[in-house]
Amino acid sequence: MSPSPASSLLIGCAAGFSGDRTDAAGPVVDTLIARLAGGPAGQRVFLIFETLAERTLALAQLRRRADPDAGYEPLLDAMLRPVLARCLAHGIRIVSNFGAANPRAAARHIARLARELGAPAPRIAVVEGDDLSGNEHRPLLREQLGTAMDGMRVVSANAYIGAEPIAAALDAGAQIVVCGRVADPSLTVGPAMSHFGWRADDWARLGRATMAGHLLECGAQVCGGYFADPGYKDVPGLDAIGFPIAEIDADGGCTLGKAEGTGGFVSEATVKEQLLYEVHDPAAYLTPDVVADIGEAEVRTAGADRVALSGVRGHARPAQYKVNVCYEGGWLAEGEISYAGARAEARARLAADILRSRLAGLALRVDLIGALSILADDGGRALAATPAGEARDVRLRVAAVHDERAQAERLTREVMALYTCGPAGGGGVRTALTPRLNTRSCLLPREQVPVRFEMLEEQS
C-alpha cells in the first residue's frame, strides 16, 4: 500500500508511566480539540497513555492472581474518566497499554465507564499475544534461558510487541485500543501506520515515527520535567507542567509541542535530552517495528514551544522480540533510623557496625543518608571522593535480601532494637519487608509470538 496523502496526524500523550499525574489529560485534550477545530479536513487526532514498565507488569500479574478481574492499570479510571466522553464526542481515538496483565478486563472497565458517563458505547479493541506467563509457554522460555529456569518461580513473562496489531485494530474501526506490553514508541507508530497507510517494511517512515513516539512516551519529561535543574536549567511552572503533543506528517517527520496554558517548555535542549534518553546506540535504537537511526538527526526550533525533528533514518526491524521474565526473588528487608546533633555521623556508623556484626550471613546494603548514600556501593564504600564529615543529621538505612522470609526478618528486628541497645539518640525507626522481583531477558523469534487483536463484544 502506498502512503496516503492524508492530513497530518496529531498525537498527545497524557501519561509517561504507571503512577503519573492523573490530571494531565485534561489540558492535552483541550488543546487537541482546539487544534482539531482549526485544522484541515481529514486530520486525525489521538491520545496515548503509556503506563508500563518491567516491574509494573509483574505487579499487575500478582494483582490478577488475587483477583481475576484485576491486573490492569490501577489509575485507569482516574486518568480516563475526566476526558473519555469528550474524546468520543470529538473523534479523538485513544491508544494505551492500560491493559498490563489483563487487557480484556481493562477494556470492560472502559466500556462500563463510557456507560456511566452517558457516552455512546465505544468500539474497543484488545491487543493480545505479548503475555507469555502461562505454563504452556515454559518450554519456549526454557529454550532461551536454559538452566536459569531451574527453580524459577515465574511471575510474568512478556514480549515487547509492535505497532502492527494496533494499526490493524484502528483500520477495523476501533476508537479505543487497549494493549498489554507493546514497545512504548509503538503506541505512536500504530496510529501513524493506520492514518497514512504505511507498509510494515517502510523502514524510513517507521524510523521517524518511532522517534516521534520516543519523544512522547515519557510524558512531561520532554516538556522540561526530567530536564529541570535549578540555577542551571531553570524550568517555569513545574507544578503545572504540560504534557507533549506531536504533529506527524506523511513522511514521519514530527514537530513537538505541548498542551496550551501549561507550565514547562519545549526547546531544542529538552528534545535532545529526551531523544537520547535510554538509547544505547544512537545509530541502532532497536524496537519491534524498526531499527531507528538518529546518527544524523537534526533538531530545530519551529516556534514558541515547538521543535521540529528531522534526519531520522530507519533500518529493517529485528527478527526477534525482546522478552522480559520477572520471577520471585526472595525478600527485601529494610530498616531506617535517624541520628542528629553532635557526632551524629559517628553514631550512625557505629549503628551500622553493630548491625553487620549481629546480622552475620546477610549481605547488607548500608546508606548514611545525608553523609554517604547514592555515591556509595553496597558495602558503604565511596564511589567518589567524599570528605570524612561530621554530618549532624544522618539517617541510617540498612537493607538485605534473602530467599527465606525468617532470615530477612532478622534485619527488621535488629534495627528496631537499636532504640535502646544503642548507640545513643536514635529515633524514627521504620522497617519494611517486601517480596522481591528479579528480571531476566531473552529473545524469541517473531513467529513464536503470534499477536492479534479482537474487538470487545461483552460491553459489561
Side-chain angles (χ1 to χ4, degrees), residues 113-417:
L113 178 56
R115 286 199 304 276
E116 291 174 12
L117 295 170
R123 288 179 56 79
I124 305 174
V126 178
V127 171
E128 296 177 311
D130 66 292
D131 191 347
L132 306 175
S133 304
N135 290 331
E136 68 274 19
H137 299 294
R138 294 292 191 275
L140 192 61
L141 296 175
R142 179 171 285 278
E143 287 179 14
Q144 304 302 319
L145 295 174
T147 56
M149 286 284 292
D150 293 346
M152 182 184 290
R153 299 185 296 275
V154 174
V155 174
S156 68
N158 294 82
Y160 283 68
I161 64 177
E164 285 186 85
I166 296 174
L170 295 169
D171 289 346
Q175 296 167 281
I176 300 172
V177 182
V178 180
C179 308
R181 175 74 278 178
V182 298
D184 299 348
S186 300
L187 298 173
T188 295
V189 177
M193 290 179 69
S194 174
H195 181 57
F196 296 117
W198 295 340
R199 301 186 316 273
D201 61 355
D202 193 340
W203 308 127
R205 291 183 174 89
L206 293 176
R208 296 175 197 128
T210 289
M211 297 319 296
H214 181 66
L215 293 177
L216 289 172
E217 69 188 49
C218 291
Q221 279 195 189
V222 76
C223 299
Y226 205 66
F227 175 86
D229 190 351
Y232 178 57
K233 297 184 296 182
D234 291 310
V235 178
L238 280 173
D239 60 315
I241 192 167
F243 278 58
I245 297 172
E247 182 174 353
I248 302 173
D249 64 31
D251 282 327
C254 84
T255 300
L256 194 81
K258 71 178 183 70
E260 297 292 335
T262 58
F265 58 71
V266 175
S267 70
E268 292 183 16
T270 67
V271 169
K272 288 176 182 177
E273 283 201 8
Q274 180 60 29
L275 201 61
L276 293 170
Y277 180 74
E278 294 182 335
V279 173
H280 175 259
D281 182 353
Y285 178 49
L286 304 179
T287 80
D289 300 310
V290 67
V291 177
D293 179 352
I294 59 172
E296 297 182 7
E298 295 184 9
V299 173
R300 60 177 177 81
T301 301
D305 287 320
R306 285 176 61 79
V307 173
L309 172 64
S310 61
V312 177
R313 295 180 295 181
H315 310 294
R317 68 191 184 189
Q320 298 168 307
Y321 285 125
K322 175 185 175 181
V323 176
N324 269 359
V325 181
C326 289
Y327 56 98
E328 295 179 18
W331 295 87
L332 170 65
E334 299 173 274
E336 298 181 7
I337 186 170
S338 290
Y339 296 91
R343 296 170 299 284
E345 183 175 336
R347 284 180 280 133
R349 290 182 182 276
L350 176 56
D353 290 341
I354 292 169
L355 293 174
R356 289 191 183 99
S357 176
R358 291 190 60 82
L359 294 172
L362 287 181
L364 301 186
R365 163 80 195 203
V366 175
D367 291 315
L368 299 180
I369 301 170
L372 188 67
S373 56
I374 293 175
L375 299 178
D377 64 14
D378 283 358
R381 293 174 289 271
L383 302 182
T386 54
E390 282 295 329
R392 294 174 59 84
D393 185 348
V394 178
R395 187 154 180 86
L396 171 66
R397 175 188 178 271
V398 183
V401 173
H402 201 281
D403 287 340
E404 298 177 19
R405 178 171 182 150
Q407 289 295 317
E409 284 178 331
R410 292 170 56 207
L411 183 146
T412 63
R413 294 196 302 272
E414 289 294 341
V415 171
M416 185 67 70

